[in-house]
Amino acid sequence: MKTKHPLPWQDTPAKSERIVSAITRIASVLRSGAWQFATAEGLNPTQVDILEALRSRREGVRLSLIARHLGVTAASASDSITSLTTKGLIEKGRDAADGRAVALRLTRSGQDLAARISNSVGFAHEAVSDLPQSTQEVLFESLLALIGKLQQSDRFPEIRACVTCKYFAVNRHPDSATPHHCTLVNAPLSVSQLRLDCPEHEQAQANVAVQNWRELESV
Ligand code: SF4
């Protein structure tokens, strides 16, 4: 008698589960690429994250902002920063906005090392670049929407994204291929042009940022 096999898709996890699994696996591959390099340089994962965060903030940032960016406590970030300072990769100076506050910056050696860490995941940039443009756009928009959902549930650290920026005008040009607008540079923006880490970013009021995320979902 023939054994009845279950249909192959009966045990398939829900789509949401498979999406999270895919993101987790990709993140894990990227992390291991960066950490392999970093371990050889005597750095731990938090130190790598700090170097990457400071790389695009040449003006210097306060310890509290770094801690928020990484989603760790100030004490935990402080230990890593002390170690990076001892290694000559970070220096402390005056904060441009408040002369009494301390700002952290990468030294020349820190900048060189942060650039090499970024290059260590170049294989991922190549893989994404090989995807068709339309796929890249859908992927970016989908990931942006997911970040928005996580931010609204306080599960994602602050980022310098257009959507949370006070210069961002959501859906200023409806029915256009470039529906959004940056009032700082007075330029229309398509969804795929939105930035996730803009040096000119200034935080919008919390209710405005939430409204922006919601409108973006509906565009
Ligand atoms: S200043 Fe930067 S983050 Fe803000 S809206 Fe313009 S491009 Fe986006």
Side-chain angles (χ1 to χ4, degrees):
M1 191 174 123
K2 250 185 164 179
T3 318
K4 244 190 158 184
H5 292 290
L7 294 172
W9 54 85
Q10 270 182 343
D11 293 332
T12 305
K15 198 185 296 159
S16 58
E17 201 177 319
R18 281 176 285 142
I19 290 172
V20 171
S21 171
I23 293 171
T24 306
R25 285 171 183 225
I26 292 169
S28 156
V29 168
L30 293 179
R31 287 266 165 209
S32 79
W35 290 351
Q36 250 175 5
F37 177 87
T39 306
E41 297 287 335
L43 302 175
N44 67 34
T46 305
Q47 291 168 347
V48 172
D49 289 343
I50 291 171
L51 292 178
E52 287 184 330
L54 288 177
R55 188 175 176 223
S56 58
R57 294 173 166 84
R58 299 201 170 196
E59 72 282 8
V61 290
R62 296 189 204 179
L63 169 67
S64 54
L65 189 144
I66 287 289
R68 281 206 306 278
H69 175 85
L70 300 181
V72 299
T73 63
S76 163
S78 177
D79 289 346
S80 294
I81 284 164
T82 301
S83 172
L84 290 169
T85 308
T86 307
K87 291 175 195 285
L89 299 171
I90 283 183
E91 60 189 5
K92 295 178 180 174
R94 293 279 151 225
D95 186 74
D98 177 356
R100 291 164 303 173
V102 173
L104 305 164
R105 295 180 185 83
L106 292 181
T107 60
R108 190 54 181 263
S109 310
Q111 282 171 18
D112 290 347
L113 185 55
R116 283 189 284 131
I117 291 170
S118 175
N119 290 341
S120 71
V121 292
F123 63 91
H125 295 281
E126 283 171 26
V128 173
S129 302
D130 275 351
L131 295 172
Q133 279 302 319
S134 56
T135 307
Q136 289 185 40
E137 281 178 20
V138 170
L139 190 54
F140 180 74
E141 289 177 24
S142 304
L143 291 173
L144 192 63
L146 180 56
I147 289 173
K149 281 285 177 205
L150 291 169
Q151 277 228 321
Q152 289 173 69
S153 59
D154 288 332
R155 293 279 183 176
F156 200 91
E158 282 179 20
I159 51 173
R160 301 186 298 179
C162 288
V163 188
T164 62
C165 177
K166 76 174 191 182
Y167 299 115
F168 182 65
V170 68
N171 212 16
R172 165 82 62 92
H173 316 286
D175 305 320
S176 149
T178 51
H180 311 301
H181 200 87
C182 170
T183 59
L184 181 70
V185 292
N186 194 23
L189 298 167
S190 65
V191 175
S192 60
Q193 286 174 316
L194 299 185
R195 303 186 70 170
L196 291 177
D197 190 28
C198 173
E200 273 73 50
H201 176 274
E202 285 194 40
Q203 187 64 38
Q205 289 179 350
N207 61 331
V208 175
V210 169
Q211 192 56 34
N212 286 345
W213 283 120
R214 288 185 183 154
E215 285 213 31
L216 205 67
E217 279 174 26
S218 61
V219 172

